Amino acid sequence: MLWAIDIGNTQMAAGVHDGSDWIHVWRLDTDHNRTEDELAVHFKSLCDLEGIEFEASGAAISSVVPSLNTAVESFCRDRLSVEPLIIRTGDEVGLPVTCHPPTTVGADRIANAVGAIDKWGTPVII
């Protein structure tokens, strides 16, 4: 299962995908002090509630909250045993960003664009 984690300013969304469909998506408050252990407790409990195996074949992270990046990356490595794809810029996922400076486009927007292009092709408006 692929885990996708989007760390936004007010909420963190995490979902598991089985290769053909989203199994479940959860939302947690974005707590800038949340630790890897807290994430593990939350996500393991949520998986148990839904009857979902707490495992991963891969993980992708987009974040606009740098203070949480280390905890979420460690959660993926240590608890899910996968090296996460960390989306920071369009270059990392083959998406040219033409605004200036390109760093003003958040990782969440880049992930949305890549997903829309994959699902509908181009041109696409998000």
Side-chain angles (χ1 to χ4, degrees):
M1 282 203 250
L2 171 69
W3 280 67
I5 303 171
D6 175 35
I7 308 166
N9 287 314
T10 57
Q11 289 189 335
M12 177 186 311
V16 290
H17 195 276
D18 68 1
S20 60
D21 202 4
W22 289 102
I23 302 301
H24 210 283
V25 176
W26 301 280
R27 292 191 173 276
L28 301 173
D29 287 336
T30 297
D31 178 349
H32 296 260
N33 298 311
R34 198 176 304 265
T35 67
E36 171 194 344
D37 294 332
E38 290 173 308
L39 290 168
V41 168
H42 284 295
F43 289 132
K44 173 74 168 86
S45 298
L46 291 167
C47 282
D48 289 347
L49 282 172
E50 298 299 330
I52 299 169
E53 292 292 324
F54 188 65
E55 62 185 17
S57 56
I61 301 169
S62 67
S63 174
V64 295
V65 184
S67 62
L68 276 174
N69 292 358
T70 299
V72 176
E73 290 172 33
S74 295
F75 163 76
C76 291
R77 288 184 187 109
D78 299 341
R79 307 304 175 136
L80 295 175
S81 300
V82 294
E83 184 64 32
L85 167 67
I86 302 160
I87 301 167
R88 292 186 182 96
T89 67
D91 293 338
E92 294 167 332
V93 291
L95 181 72
V97 176
T98 58
C99 70
H100 297 286
T103 55
T104 60
V105 179
D108 52 345
R109 304 292 186 211
I110 291 168
N112 289 342
V114 170
I117 291 167
D118 182 64
K119 188 167 184 170
W120 294 291
T122 58
V124 64
I125 298 173
I126 305 165

